[in-house]
């Protein structure tokens, strides 16, 4: 039997040459993948048997027996690994939210400055972008943590903000909010938001039927301020503060007690992430605004809209469609970049779980998998949301 | 209100010289006030009440700018100046604020960086602490560039890089026929030569373990290897993702989304801690090799998305034309589709390369010390504590120069290929 | 005497060093239709864009409906509400439906209730014969339909003057007729129109006066019949021979 006839037989099995070329690569790929996974799993099994490690998630219930420096929820060394994971996750989300908030504001300002007609402003914005974009994030992080924040004064000479907050090399201490009847306050905010939604609906109806415009911005602002304020007066809500106080811990060591401590690690990480990601967001914003053709602005002007109306009704809707997808991508990048916390000992999920917990339990496969899975889920959720949003607002074409 | 105080009248073209000279004088007066205040502690307006005193430079210069704000003065320089930084009150104020901030901060910064800095010396005592201590960088320079590589063997690293540069440069100057061979040599033969040269163990060269490799040379080694291999892998992934065969398509998508969804640090942890578990008992793969493989696959996923963008942007007509000429899948892609698609996404490819170079410092979390890692080690040395700032600024400058030039080069490439179309 | 609705006196404009309008003198009476033609770069687009101040002139005087256009004009939007413009690139707002495109300015500038604005918009769309496309989006329409929609959008503000900046230059030949028909109808209805175009057939049918511009200057200005029968300047003769 020669090779040629064998090939012919196989092709006739597939009933045509086309099908052959369609199915064969797939079968080969599938076999390859199965083989590789099988090979890895087998090796892993053998290795683990040899070292007497078993595979499983039960370790999550065991006592963690290590402390975490900064936590948003109650945690002590006697809590389980699962709780440690939760603490790490919350810390990651915290620094990501802070970073996203500041990066967005800074990015929008710089992006718009880039487009300014003022030469100096646009140049300064350009230099900012070129500077912070071309230096690795880790390096920027190290600079802020090891160089800049280390230059802050000792607690005994801390920078004083109106005697309620103190900035020192040990951290930024702010007053702790102590609420009574917080739930009442919380519900009042929700109620205000609902009321504002109704105001907007009413204003829209008014405009559609009579053409007049209700000053909905001022009314909303009023509601947002007055209603929560009322809860203080008649709702039994009260707020007291625990201020940080400089105490002498030992002969030469002073620090602040009480209040909330924002550790330098968190400050450095948030700072580095914001400044770095802002450069990319600035470019997204700039691309979005430039992406709206000049003719749109002219057409809107030619029918008599004011510059404010042009921006709000014509430019921004189109610009936002261009800006939002890549910006959301940057938010995702920022969240992933927050994992750099491991390099400066900020207790995020990587340091706490894939670092300390893994060192203690030796369960590399489970822990690294869980960590990667956490980030993957976040990415996928945001991707799905992005796709849905894009489909919804897509500008319809033929 | 200013208009009512204005006894000279609205600035206009007819009294051009009058307005410009008064305006320029006031503007310069404001600037001189700031300079005197910041550097010489002289306060020429100390007679005025405190609040006003603080704002006098702003007021002087602002009024000065108002006077020279004459539209269509006919003087080209003046018009340009006005249009760019002085077109209205808001812009004028911002311009002044920027100028004042720069005046107050740039000279002290330059002083610290250059004029008061110490350049020569051997130990910590040679630094006077008034300015930057570049002695620190000088003394550690060899380590920062070559890591812990033994001094006597450094010539091997230098030789490898010289060979690389020579090959790349020659690639630009030889006729296309020989160019093909140079590329093949570069991709397949050179890596072997380089690896043998640098790690040694054969041909009578002393063996240097990969943990000793470090510094800037390690940054380059990792970047170049990852660059070389993530590109073809990314191309295959991009083509696979667009394939109509479900198995290939979905495995490509899975592969790409997996690497894109996780941070690089977890990938490095996986490479250093998890991968050994997946290898047969007893085999040992060098940590650096595992790290390079991990980084390559990681960047290949991003490269795949960039290339996919290019493939999607290409008009369907190109595919139709190729098919109608009887070209098979691979021939069509190699000759028609990929050349065009790649040209379209040059900025995206350059960005991915740039991101790769910027990601290399992360390897310090698994114990490999490239430039940033070496600076970390240097600043923690007991003899040299306290010079973190100088170290990081040095690293920052080095990276900035590399990355900035890479992005400029890619912009040039993009412009060159745009005109071709 | 028919009232003057646009007056341009000794208007000059520069783009940097380059002078694009030289000593333009032009008077337009109410209900008059004027066609402006000339080679590209002659400044004809710039001329009409100065009338609704999309471009600013540096020297000279422009008076529109009794109001002089200058740097200090605060109610430039009010003037623009009275002057409608149709662009070569249509410039419809892609994120709004056709009827929303037309109703946008009446709602936000004239503060007309939405239902009323929509009804007038649909009426205008009917006049240009694209009523059936009202709920569609610009991307779903052909070029000719988009330009007619743009004309309807400008008309919804009930302007006194309509400016057209090469309205058919970006259209495929078979769609030019439908747009010109809409413009002819508009002219017959008594609108003051200034049209920059190469469509000389349209000029002959509808224009009262034809202006030929070259290198920023008005070279020749004459009533339509006379313009085509007895062009006075050599440059005019050359231009006409090239396009007719």
């Amino acid at each position: 039997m020669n090779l040629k006839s064998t090939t012919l037989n196989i092709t006739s099995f597939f009933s045509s040459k086309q099908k052959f070329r369609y199915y064969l690569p797939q079968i080969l790929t599938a076999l390859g993948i199965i083989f590789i996974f099988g090979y890895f799993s087998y090796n892993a099994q053998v290795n683990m048997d040899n070292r007497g490690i078993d595979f499983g998630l039960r370790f999550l219930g065991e006592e963690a027996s290590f402390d975490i420096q900064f936590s948003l929820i109650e945690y002590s060394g006697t809590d389980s690994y699962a709780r440690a994971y939760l603490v790490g996750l919350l810390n990651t989300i915290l620094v990501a939210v802070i970073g996203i908030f500041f990066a967005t504001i800074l990015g929008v300002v710089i992006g718009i400055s880039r487009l300014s007609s003022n030469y100096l402003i646009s140049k300064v914005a350009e230099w900012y972008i070129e500077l912070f974009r071309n230096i690795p994030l880790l390096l920027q992080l190290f600079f802020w943590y090891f160089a800049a924040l280390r230059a802050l004064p000792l607690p005994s000479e801390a920078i004083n903000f109106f005697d309620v907050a103190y900035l020192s090399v040990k951290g930024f201490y702010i007053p702790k909010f102590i609420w009574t009847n917080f739930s009442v306050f919380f519900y009042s905010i929700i109620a205000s938001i609902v009321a504002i939604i109704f105001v907007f609906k009413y204003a829209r109806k008014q405009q559609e039927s009579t053409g007049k415009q209700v000053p909905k911005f001022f009314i909303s602002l009023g509601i947002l301020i007055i209603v929560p304020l009322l809860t203080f007066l008649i709702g039994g809500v009260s707020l007291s503060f625990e201020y940080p106080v400089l105490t002498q811990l030992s002969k030469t060591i002073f620090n602040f007690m009480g209040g909330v401590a924002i550790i330098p690690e968190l400050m450095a990480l948030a700072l580095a992430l914001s400044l770095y990601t802002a450069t990319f967001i600035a470019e997204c914003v700039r691309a979005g605004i430039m992406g709206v053709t000049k003719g749109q602005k002219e057409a809107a002007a030619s029918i008599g809209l004011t510059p404010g109306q042009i921006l709000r009704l014509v430019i921004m809707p189109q610009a936002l469609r261009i800006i939002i997808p890549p910006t959301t991508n940057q938010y995702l990048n920022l969240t992933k970049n927050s994992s750099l916390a491991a390099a400066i000992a900020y207790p995020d999920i990587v340091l706490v779980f894939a670092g300390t917990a893994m060192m203690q339990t030796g369960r590399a496969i489970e822990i690294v998998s869980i960590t990667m899975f956490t980030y993957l889920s976040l990415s996928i959720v945001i991707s799905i949301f992005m796709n849905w949003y894009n489909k919804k607002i897509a500008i319809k074409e033929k | 209100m200013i208009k009512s105080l204005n006894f000279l009248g609205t600035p206009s073209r007819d009294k051009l010289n009058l307005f410009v000279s008064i305006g320029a004088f006031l503007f310069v007066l404001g600037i001189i006030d700031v300079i005197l205040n910041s550097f010489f502690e002289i306060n020429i307006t100390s007679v005025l009440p405190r609040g006003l005193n603080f704002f006098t430079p702003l007021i002087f210069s602002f009024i000065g700018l108002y006077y020279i704000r004459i539209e269509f003065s006919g003087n080209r320089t003046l018009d340009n100046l006005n249009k760019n930084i002085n077109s209205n009150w808001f812009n004028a104020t911002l311009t002044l604020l920027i100028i004042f901030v720069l005046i107050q901060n740039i000279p002290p910064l330059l002083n610290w960086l250059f004029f008061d800095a110490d350049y020569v010396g051997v130990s910590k005592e040679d630094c006077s602490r008034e300015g930057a201590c570049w002695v620190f960088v000088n003394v550690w320079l060899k380590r920062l560039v070559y890591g812990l590589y033994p001094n006597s063997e450094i010539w091997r690293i230098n030789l490898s890089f010289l060979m690389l540069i020579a090959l790349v440069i020659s690639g630009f100057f030889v006729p296309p026929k020989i160019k093909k061979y140079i590329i093949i040599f570069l991709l397949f033969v050179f890596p072997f030569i380089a690896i043998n040269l640098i790690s040694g163990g054969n041909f009578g060269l002393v063996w240097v373990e990969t943990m000793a490799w470090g510094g800037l040379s390690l940054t380059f080694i990792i970047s170049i290897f990852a660059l070389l291999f993530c590109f073809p892998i990314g191309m295959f992934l991009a083509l696979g993702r667009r394939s109509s065969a479900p198995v290939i398509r979905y495995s490509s998508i899975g592969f790409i989304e997996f690497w894109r969804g996780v941070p690089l640090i977890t990938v490095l942890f996986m490479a250093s801690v998890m991968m050994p578990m997946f290898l047969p008992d007893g085999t040992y793969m060098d940590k650096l090799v595992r790290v390079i493989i991990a980084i390559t696959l990681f960047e290949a996923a991003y490269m795949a998305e960039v290339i996919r963008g290019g493939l999607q942007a290409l008009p369907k007509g190109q595919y139709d034309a190729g098919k109608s000429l009887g070209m098979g899948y691979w021939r069509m892609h190699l000759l028609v589709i990929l050349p065009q698609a790649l040209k379209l996404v040059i900025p995206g490819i350059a960005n991915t390369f740039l991101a790769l170079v910027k990601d290399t410092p992360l390897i310090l979390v698994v114990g490999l010390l490239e430039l940033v890692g070496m600076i970390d080690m240097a600043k923690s040395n007991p003899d040299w504590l306290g010079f973190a700032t100088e170290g990081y600024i040095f690293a920052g400058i080095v990276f900035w120069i590399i990355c900035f030039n890479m992005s400029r080069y890619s912009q040039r490439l993009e412009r060159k290929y745009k005109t071709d179309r | 005497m028919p009232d003057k609705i646009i007056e341009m006196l000794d208007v000059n404009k520069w783009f940097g060093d380059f002078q694009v309008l030289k000593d333009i003198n032009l008077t337009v009476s109410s209900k008059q239709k004027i066609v402006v033609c000339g080679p590209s770069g002659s400044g004809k687009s710039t001329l009409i864009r100065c009338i609704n101040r999309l471009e600013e002139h540096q020297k000279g005087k422009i008076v529109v409906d009794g109001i002089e256009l200058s740097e200090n004009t605060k109610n430039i939007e009010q003037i623009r509400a009275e002057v409608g413009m149709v662009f070569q690139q249509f410039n419809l707002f892609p994120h709004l439906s056709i009827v929303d495109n037309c109703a946008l300015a009446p709602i936000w500038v004239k503060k007309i209730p939405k239902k009323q604005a929509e009804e007038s918009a649909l009426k205008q769309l009917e006049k240009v014969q694209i009523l059936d496309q009202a709920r569609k989006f610009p991307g779903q329409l052909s070029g000719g339909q988009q330009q007619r929609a743009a004309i309807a959008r400008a008309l919804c503000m009930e302007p006194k003057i309509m400016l057209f900046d090469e309205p058919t230059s970006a259209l495929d030949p078979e769609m030019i007729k439908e747009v010109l028909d809409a413009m002819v109808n508009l002219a017959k209805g008594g609108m003051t129109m200034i049209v920059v175009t190469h469509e000389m057939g349209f000029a002959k049918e509808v224009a009262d006066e034809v202006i030929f511009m070259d290198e920023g200057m008005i070279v020749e200005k004459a009533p339509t019949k006379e313009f085509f029968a007895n062009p006075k300047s050599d440059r005019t003769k050359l231009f006409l021979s090239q396009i007719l």
Side-chain angles (χ1 to χ4, degrees), chain C residues 129-161:
Chain C
Q129 300 181 331
I130 47 166
L131 185 58
D132 49 331
Q133 311 287 339
R135 305 286 165 191
K136 290 204 186 144
F137 284 77
Q140 297 169 305
L141 268 55
S142 73
Q145 291 169 326
Q146 287 189 51
Q147 192 62 299
R148 284 184 279 152
I151 296 177
R153 177 179 65 175
L155 288 175
C156 278
M157 287 296 281
E158 296 177 354
K160 293 190 181 149
I161 306 165

Side-chain angles (χ1 to χ4, degrees), chain A residues 196-386:
Chain A
I196 292 178
I197 294 181
F198 276 110
V199 166
F200 270 69
K201 279 216 167 97
Y202 171 73
R204 195 146 177 227
K205 258 219 182 108
Q206 276 295 302
Q207 187 189 37
E208 288 184 12
S209 56
T210 66
K212 271 201 304 234
Q213 286 167 14
V214 172
K216 51 185 186 239
F217 178 69
F218 289 111
I219 296 183
S220 313
L221 202 63
I223 293 180
L224 199 57
I225 296 181
I226 295 180
V227 172
L229 216 60
L230 277 178
T231 61
F232 278 89
L233 296 174
I234 57 174
V237 175
S238 69
L239 182 62
S240 72
F241 298 99
E242 187 187 286
Y243 297 101
V245 169
L246 185 61
T247 36
Q248 184 165 20
L249 297 172
S250 79
K251 195 143 178 223
T252 49
I253 302 183
F254 290 82
N255 204 350
F256 289 92
M257 288 287 129
V260 173
I262 300 181
I263 51 177
E265 287 81 6
L266 177 54
M267 286 198 290
L269 193 56
L271 198 58
L273 284 173
S274 308
L275 292 175
Y276 182 74
T277 314
T279 63
F280 296 97
I281 296 185
E283 291 290 272
C284 295
V285 167
R286 182 169 80 109
I289 297 185
M290 289 201 324
V292 182
T293 55
K294 187 164 164 234
Q296 290 290 304
K297 191 165 163 206
E298 292 185 344
S302 74
I303 50 177
L305 294 172
T306 66
Q309 288 169 333
I310 296 178
L311 192 66
R312 198 162 41 103
L313 299 170
V314 175
I315 308 275
M316 284 321 284
Q318 297 185 60
L320 278 175
R321 283 172 167 84
I322 305 179
I323 293 177
I324 290 188
T327 304
T328 315
N329 212 18
Q330 289 308 322
Y331 289 167
L332 208 58
N333 282 341
L334 190 146
T335 311
K336 286 190 284 177
N337 282 334
S338 70
S339 58
L340 261 62
I344 58 166
Y346 171 73
D348 80 320
I349 195 172
V350 172
L351 186 74
V352 162
F353 204 58
T356 320
M358 183 165 76
M359 269 200 300
Q360 277 192 207
T361 62
R363 293 173 173 277
I365 300 185
E366 294 94 320
I367 289 186
V368 175
S369 310
I370 294 178
T371 316
M372 287 178 120
F373 180 71
T374 313
Y375 280 103
L376 259 178
S377 325
L378 255 125
S379 304
I380 292 186
V381 162
I382 298 191
S383 289
I384 293 182
F385 171 72
M386 244 321 54

